[in-house]
Amino acid sequence: KTGRFTYDPGFTSTAACFSDITFIDGDKGELLYRGYPIDQLAKQSHFLEVCYLLLYGELPTAQQLEDFENRVTSHTMLHEQMVNFYRGFRRDAHPMAVVCGVVGAMSAFYHDSTDINDAWQREVATVRLIAKVPTICAWAYKYAIGQPFVYPRNDLDYASNFLHMCFAVPCEDYVVDPILSRAMDRIFTLHADHEQNASTSTVRLAGSSHANPFACIAAGVACLWGPAHGGANQACLEMLREIGTPDRIPEFIARAKDKNDPFRLMGFGHRVYKNFDPRAKVMKESADEVLGLLGVEDNPALQVAKELEKIALEDEYFISKKLYPNVDFYSGIILDAMGFPTSMFTPIFALARTVGWIAQWKEMIEDPVQKIGRPRQLYTGATARDYVEVEGR
Ligand code: SDX
């Protein structure tokens, strides 16, 4: 439609939608948010500025950024009654079950004030989701470990606020380590959007019926949870720990190649990337930097991950299938070093992806020719036949 991107008519006949937000070239391993390369944004920008870019299409001026940050900061608290939802969950519930439930419950608190045909109310819902999902995720963690909820603070930046809500306790001061805050912010940026992945497509399809945005984002959370999608970051670190030492890698490589074995190398492969996932490159650099700064560079999982990557990238099967590390391969190692349990990895992915989901939802809702999604099928069932009474069966 514009610039160097042209549409092949054949492509549009199979495309789910047109979008201006995120571009992926799977063969080149290229990822652009509104035209800006992901590695530049991850290293030079910060998450709320990236949120502004994804939502409104341009990098903000200093004043625009300050206004946006103030709007997000002033909406980080939940309605106090929402605390009651947490009490209804079992303590050992997976945090994603809690996040999915509480995000959906936002419909009961904010939906009836959200006329999605009103641009300002769409804005309010957008800011509320970006602002409140970190609080929802942090409180899911606190509830799981039996600690009191820590309220958001307006004097902290977005990433520091999330870390403070997760790791502070009322009985002593907690100062967020800037190393962790920078790493957390970079992880948020790397996960912010990724064109029409499964969970984003879920949000678009739910939104196409004009369901309220909170219910649509809850649908995205549910889809992301799967180990083939956002759940892979948790599954990947658990796999690296199961491998344990580099000498056991060949055993797992063999299993990944065995078609009779359902085992897949978690954090490897991608439906679109047939080259390195550019996010994995930045994540790997960040893992080296963060673990080095924290003095845990000899972390066994990182050593196994690096050796596994090296072996897999030299293996004929992986080369032939064009399988490379994806965004989930190194992220869990960083999150583990920051102190998170593996069960919190996917909620953190959902927290970061909320801006991508809501940006794609807005783009769809604001498209004047938008219609309800209605995928078709290739029917392979029985041809028409008459009913048979039970005596005749
Ligand atoms: C995310 O879509 C997105 O953009 C998602 C995401 C995002 O930001 O939203 O990028 C986030 O979900 C990343 C992916 C996280 N999942 C994992 O790391 C789980 C492990 N990966 C695999 O399950 C798999 O790679 C998928 C699910 C990600 C993709 O699977 P596909 O679509 O089947 O991949 P493919 O068609 O390119 O596979 C080609 C071949 C197949 O074998 P054949 O049928 O040709 O014989 O490679 C095999 C696959 O079975 N294969 C693997 C493999 N991944 C693919 N074999 C072993 N280990 C793997 N990890």
Side-chain angles (χ1 to χ4, degrees), residues 326-373:
N326 60 48
V327 67
D328 296 309
F329 192 62
Y330 286 102
S331 58
I333 293 168
I334 303 171
L335 294 172
D336 172 57
M338 294 167 83
F340 288 105
T342 57
S343 61
M344 276 300 292
F345 293 2
T346 309
I348 288 168
F349 192 154
L351 183 169
R353 184 55 57 89
T354 295
V355 63
W357 287 330
I358 200 68
Q360 301 260 356
W361 171 83
K362 262 167 59 61
E363 182 178 65
M364 180 215 35
I365 286 291
E366 292 166 359
D367 178 348
V369 298
Q370 180 267 330
K371 287 185 176 181
I372 187 168

Side-chain angles (χ1 to χ4, degrees), residues 287-332:
D288 279 332
E289 178 192 343
V290 172
L291 272 69
L293 290 169
L294 294 175
V296 290
E297 59 274 25
D298 57 353
N299 175 304
L302 180 60
Q303 303 318 315
V304 169
K306 286 184 171 180
E307 185 61 18
L308 172 56
E309 176 188 337
K310 179 174 173 295
I311 294 172
L313 294 185
E314 293 165 358
D315 182 281
E316 270 313 303
Y317 172 86
F318 286 86
I319 294 169
S320 68
K321 301 287 183 186
K322 298 183 177 179
L323 302 178
Y324 293 86
N326 60 48
V327 67
D328 296 309
F329 192 62
Y330 286 102
S331 58

Side-chain angles (χ1 to χ4, degrees), residues 45-76 120 122-132 156 158 185 352 354-356 358-359 362:
S45 182
H46 66 275
F47 183 63
L48 281 189
E49 184 175 76
V50 170
C51 287
Y52 187 99
L53 173 67
L54 289 170
L55 289 168
Y56 308 115
E58 298 296 336
L59 288 169
T61 63
Q63 189 56 56
Q64 287 168 330
L65 181 59
E66 184 184 345
D67 294 344
F68 180 70
E69 288 179 337
N70 289 338
R71 284 168 59 208
V72 172
T73 301
S74 59
H75 282 87
T76 50
W120 175 245
R122 289 197 298 270
E123 276 302 302
V124 170
T126 296
V127 168
R128 275 176 164 157
L129 279 158
I130 292 170
K132 297 180 191 302
L156 296 177
Y158 192 85
D185 189 274
T354 295
V355 63
I358 200 68
K362 262 167 59 61

Side-chain angles (χ1 to χ4, degrees), residues 6-221:
T6 55
Y7 287 98
D8 169 333
F11 174 83
T12 51
S13 69
T14 56
C17 64
F18 284 109
S19 177
D20 297 341
I21 299 173
T22 294
F23 175 77
I24 299 172
D25 183 322
D27 294 326
K28 291 182 187 169
E30 185 180 35
L31 169 57
L32 309 176
Y33 287 169
R34 299 284 191 179
Y36 295 94
I38 187 66
D39 57 325
Q40 291 180 25
L41 292 171
K43 293 171 184 171
Q44 297 172 250
S45 182
H46 66 275
F47 183 63
L48 281 189
E49 184 175 76
V50 170
C51 287
Y52 187 99
L53 173 67
L54 289 170
L55 289 168
Y56 308 115
E58 298 296 336
L59 288 169
T61 63
Q63 189 56 56
Q64 287 168 330
L65 181 59
E66 184 184 345
D67 294 344
F68 180 70
E69 288 179 337
N70 289 338
R71 284 168 59 208
V72 172
T73 301
S74 59
H75 282 87
T76 50
M77 283 213 306
L78 301 185
H79 187 295
E80 191 59 18
Q81 262 189 264
M82 292 184 77
V83 171
N84 301 328
F85 287 119
Y86 287 85
R87 304 279 179 256
F89 291 103
R90 286 175 37 157
R91 286 278 181 185
D92 61 353
H94 192 290
M96 279 298 275
V98 177
V99 171
C100 191
V102 179
V103 170
M106 288 178 79
S107 305
F109 285 83
Y110 308 111
H111 161 43
D112 46 16
S113 65
T114 303
D115 170 5
I116 61 171
N117 299 308
D118 177 295
W120 175 245
Q121 290 192 40
R122 289 197 298 270
E123 276 302 302
V124 170
T126 296
V127 168
R128 275 176 164 157
L129 279 158
I130 292 170
K132 297 180 191 302
V133 171
T135 308
I136 291 172
C137 291
W139 287 10
Y141 172 54
K142 286 305 210 184
Y143 185 71
I145 61 175
Q147 286 188 359
F149 293 159
V150 173
Y151 282 72
R153 290 205 351 215
N154 293 354
D155 62 325
L156 296 177
D157 64 67
Y158 192 85
S160 300
N161 211 357
F162 175 64
L163 291 169
H164 186 265
M165 287 189 281
C166 288
F167 297 127
V169 288
C171 25
E172 60 189 22
D173 287 340
Y174 175 82
V175 177
V176 178
D177 182 336
I179 298 170
L180 301 190
S181 179
R182 182 73 197 112
M184 189 81 267
D185 189 274
R186 184 175 293 176
I187 285 176
F188 290 161
T189 291
L190 291 170
H191 287 83
D193 192 51
H194 211 238
E195 60 129 284
Q196 305 313 314
N197 58 84
S199 53
T200 299
S201 300
T202 300
V203 171
R204 277 182 171 259
L205 195 56
S208 71
S209 75
H210 284 203
N212 77 76
F214 308 104
C216 296
I217 299 303
V221 173

